[in-house]
Amino acid sequence: MRILIVEDEAAISTYLKESLEAEYFAVDVAMDGERGSYLAQINEYDLVILDNQLPKKDGITICRELRAEGKSMPILVVSVKNETVKKVDLLDAGADDYLTKPFALSELLARVRALLRRKPSLENDVLCVGDLTLDPKRLMVKRSNREITLTKKEFMLLEYLMRNEGIVLSRGMILEHVWDMSVDIFSNTIESHILSIRKKIDDAGAGKEKLIKTISGRGYKIEA
Ligand code: CA
């Protein structure tokens, strides 16, 4: 899952980026409102964390713009307690939730997970496809109750496939949701990760159903 942080205080944005990456999210950062609004419009983020007081364009304006553009990703606004902007105005502008600075990292992570859970395809915290389960909170993957060790990127890719069970995902979609902007799009990084995940979850035991399918010329999907 890919997150955009729009935050002008470098210490906070760096801390949030590192903390979210440690929780297996792909993260981009924008340091002002114009850049944030631009990135949110050209990339496919699963969630945006938006500071309200920003240079060039404030958070509430960015919310309105994104909703007017038809962007429907969850938006979590972070504001300072004594700011004049009212919570109700933020929600009216299209924000899904808000947090007041200073906040505990654990609270931010809980709200991020709750907002991602609101997607209709998600019924509970643990994702299941056949006998394969992935727990985004515990960072744990199991097949037939046997624990499987994945690298961080493999975990992120598998999570994206499982959140979209039965849907064919193109290379472009996978890049948009699993990698941040630093990826080299001409490398064969998706193919090599899929190959490695397959070895671990599909080829580990004889007779097991292959869950990850290659759809020629279109992409990949996971399905039991
Ligand atoms: Ca700020």
Side-chain angles (χ1 to χ4, degrees):
M1 297 284 108
R2 185 176 176 192
I3 295 179
L4 173 66
I5 298 170
V6 190
E7 167 64 76
D8 56 314
E9 289 171 62
I12 297 178
S13 61
T14 303
Y15 171 66
L16 289 181
K17 179 175 165 68
E18 287 172 357
S19 303
L20 288 163
E21 284 175 346
E23 299 288 322
Y24 292 12
F25 291 102
V27 181
D28 292 323
V29 172
M31 301 291 284
D32 67 63
E34 269 176 16
R35 174 87 178 148
S37 183
Y38 172 71
L39 289 182
Q41 289 180 47
I42 62 162
N43 295 317
E44 289 296 324
Y45 293 103
D46 298 291
L47 186 130
V48 176
I49 299 173
L50 195 55
D51 183 28
N52 190 45
Q53 287 187 322
L54 291 163
K56 296 184 184 174
K57 196 176 278 182
D58 62 12
I60 198 162
T61 306
I62 297 172
C63 269
R64 287 200 191 99
E65 283 179 0
L66 293 177
R67 296 315 187 210
E69 293 278 328
K71 290 284 185 182
S72 62
M73 80 289 260
I75 300 176
L76 172 61
V77 174
V78 177
S79 65
V80 182
K81 204 169 191 176
N82 57 8
E83 245 174 82
T84 48
V85 63
K86 293 194 182 78
K87 289 165 181 173
V88 63
D89 293 333
L90 288 172
L91 298 176
D92 278 347
D96 296 276
D97 200 0
Y98 52 83
L99 256 180
T100 308
K101 280 183 189 172
F103 51 82
L105 179 64
S106 57
E107 173 153 26
L108 177 95
L109 291 173
R111 286 173 190 245
V112 163
R113 289 199 185 94
L115 287 170
L116 290 173
R117 205 155 51 219
R118 262 187 223 167
K119 288 196 169 183
S121 59
L122 276 178
E123 280 155 12
N124 55 41
D125 284 349
V126 179
L127 307 171
C128 299
V129 175
D131 59 354
L132 179 70
T133 61
L134 181 146
D135 186 336
K137 198 170 177 182
R138 293 189 179 79
L139 305 178
M140 190 180 280
V141 176
K142 288 181 179 176
R143 180 112 201 231
S144 302
N145 278 325
R146 187 177 58 84
E147 197 172 336
I148 294 165
T149 306
L150 297 181
T151 66
K152 185 169 166 179
K153 218 66 200 177
E154 289 165 3
F155 185 98
M156 292 163 75
L157 207 169
L158 184 62
E159 178 182 357
Y160 181 58
L161 287 170
M162 290 178 75
R163 282 186 192 268
N164 295 283
E165 181 183 1
I167 298 170
V168 180
L169 303 171
S170 67
R171 288 186 79 240
M173 290 165 81
I174 292 171
L175 274 177
E176 283 277 3
H177 290 270
V178 181
W179 272 267
D180 61 34
M181 288 189 299
S182 61
V183 67
D184 171 12
I185 58 166
F186 297 107
S187 72
N188 66 346
T189 185
I190 293 176
E191 286 73 11
S192 60
H193 281 85
I194 290 275
L195 189 70
S196 174
I197 296 170
R198 275 190 171 134
K199 275 186 189 149
K200 293 177 181 178
I201 70 161
D202 277 347
D203 303 338
K208 269 189 186 157
E209 184 192 358
K210 309 273 189 244
L211 296 176
I212 298 177
K213 279 112 183 162
T214 302
I215 313 301
S216 182
R218 292 179 60 203
Y220 303 97
K221 72 171 174 178
I222 194 162
E223 202 168 52

